[in-house]
Amino acid sequence: MKFPTQDCTAIITGASSGLGAEFARQLALQARMLVLVARRIESLEAVKTNLLAIRPDLEVHLVVADLALADGRSVLVDWVKKSGISLNLLINNAGLGDYGTLASATQERLQAQIDVNVTALVLLTHALLPHLQANVPAGIINISSLAGTIPMPDHAVYSASKAFVTSFSEALAVELQSQHIQVTCVCPGPTPTNFSMTARRPDGTDTDRSGQRLLRIPSSQVVAEALAGLRDGKVCVFPGRGVSIAGSLFRLLPRALMRWFLRRRFNKGTL
Ligand SMILES: NC(=O)c1ccc[n+]([C@@H]2O[C@H](COP(=O)([O-])OP(=O)(O)OC[C@H]3O[C@@H](n4cnc5c(N)ncnc54)[C@H](OP(=O)(O)O)[C@@H]3O)[C@@H](O)[C@H]2O)c1
């Protein structure tokens, strides 16, 4: 199933920065309408200003909502119902991480990752699906991560949440194919956005960055490959050559061998 992005009406969650803002920028010249969703209104306004500089007649709506909360998700779903827009592209991009061990994490940060990365993505998809079904051909982009292919110590809940997103997306792609709804799951590697700043804890805990240099590509390339994947009917996209190789390798690696590598890395090679 291919989804042409020309003249699309798209909702982009987490559009106030990083990959979400970049999706908006790259869709600006093609979309009929963009609906940008996040909590920070000033950042959303700044993204909107940039979009109108690219294309002054683009219809852009801002919806301020905390997607971690049921009330916040209802704000978006109710807005879609009331506005009567012909939604045909949903980009589930909002997400966050938390660097450090489970034992040293706070309940709030663990809960926030599950609420945004998993609960919001599933429940928004479910609530907005009837709108997509009414406007086929339609598309869904779910932002997962390369981290979803490896159970990452020091990022355990995040990587598990992204493994969920990948599995959920692959199943949904099969369910919706005959309904002319393309589901594309995007698994970026480390990408320079605000992600690391948010994931870092107040005590400064950072992730192990060894080897990341080979995987890092700019957000513009991540988004360009994601949109190309959607247009070409790809179910999984690992943007960048390094990430694509790593993704294939991690998915093929025997689990015991993977755990051996992860133990060595977690214990900084002291095993
Ligand atoms: N950067 C990377 O290295 C990387 C790698 C793989 C996957 N990803 C994934 O890419 C996606 C985008 O992240 P990014 O890298 O662009 O990071 P980012 O710059 O920190 O953007 C995260 C976006 O999510 C929104 N968000 C977070 N919590 C929210 C909530 N409760 N309600 C509504 N919106 C919320 C933020 O908006 P507000 O703060 O304004 O609400 C922001 O717009 C995430 O799903 C992330 O897991 C990132």
Side-chain angles (χ1 to χ4, degrees):
M1 240 303 291
K2 297 184 179 203
F3 176 77
T5 46
Q6 192 64 41
D7 293 328
C8 65
T9 291
I11 288 180
I12 306 170
T13 70
S16 60
S17 70
L19 294 176
E22 183 60 25
F23 270 110
R25 195 183 70 76
Q26 292 196 22
L27 285 172
L29 287 176
Q30 304 158 24
R32 175 175 301 166
M33 182 197 295
L34 294 180
V35 181
L36 312 181
V37 188
R39 292 166 301 179
R40 290 171 296 153
I41 182 66
E42 308 78 27
S43 307
L44 285 175
E45 295 277 12
V47 173
K48 180 176 177 176
T49 303
N50 289 338
L51 296 178
L52 295 180
I54 297 170
R55 190 175 141 207
D57 66 336
L58 178 65
E59 201 174 331
V60 183
H61 296 276
L62 307 182
V63 177
V64 176
D66 185 343
L67 300 178
L69 307 174
D71 285 352
R73 296 189 290 272
S74 295
V75 166
L76 175 59
V77 174
D78 291 347
W79 185 90
V80 173
K81 275 184 200 149
K82 279 194 197 122
S83 64
I85 62 167
S86 303
L87 178 70
N88 66 352
L89 176 58
L90 171 63
I91 303 182
N92 282 309
N93 163 76
L96 71 155
D98 176 42
Y99 297 146
T101 61
L102 184 83
S104 60
T106 63
Q107 290 264 318
E108 289 72 21
R109 283 174 75 96
L110 298 176
Q111 188 72 59
Q113 290 173 91
I114 297 166
D115 289 345
V116 180
N117 300 0
V118 175
T119 308
L121 184 138
V122 172
L123 296 185
L124 282 181
T125 302
H126 180 259
L128 296 175
L129 196 52
H131 298 272
L132 296 170
Q133 286 165 326
N135 295 293
V136 291
I140 298 173
I141 291 181
N142 287 334
I143 304 301
S144 181
S145 172
L146 178 63
T149 61
I150 27 173
M152 286 178 77
D154 272 343
H155 219 178
V157 171
Y158 178 77
S159 56
S161 75
K162 293 301 187 178
F164 178 99
V165 172
T166 302
S167 172
F168 171 72
S169 305
E170 288 184 303
L172 202 62
V174 175
E175 283 187 24
L176 297 179
Q177 188 176 18
S178 62
Q179 299 180 36
H180 306 289
I181 300 178
Q182 167 64 31
V183 179
T184 296
C185 175
V186 183
C187 303
T191 312
T193 63
N194 287 339
F195 180 86
S196 292
M197 223 166 58
T198 310
R200 217 168 287 169
R201 293 181 180 170
D203 67 4
T205 303
D206 199 3
T207 189
D208 180 353
R209 298 192 181 277
S210 49
Q212 281 198 359
R213 200 171 44 83
L214 301 167
L215 305 174
R216 190 173 290 115
I217 56 170
S219 50
S220 54
Q221 189 182 340
V222 171
V223 169
E225 291 193 29
L227 290 173
L230 178 76
R231 288 186 202 106
D232 292 346
K234 287 194 183 154
V235 173
C236 275
V237 176
F238 288 82
R241 186 185 288 267
V243 171
S244 169
I245 293 169
S248 306
L249 201 69
F250 294 160
R251 300 226 277 188
L252 289 173
L253 213 59
R255 303 300 277 184
L257 189 56
M258 161 147 335
R259 285 194 298 275
W260 182 82
F261 278 120
L262 291 170
R263 257 197 309 275
R264 272 183 71 85
R265 190 178 166 96
F266 182 62
N267 294 304
K268 306 289 181 280
T270 53
L271 272 185

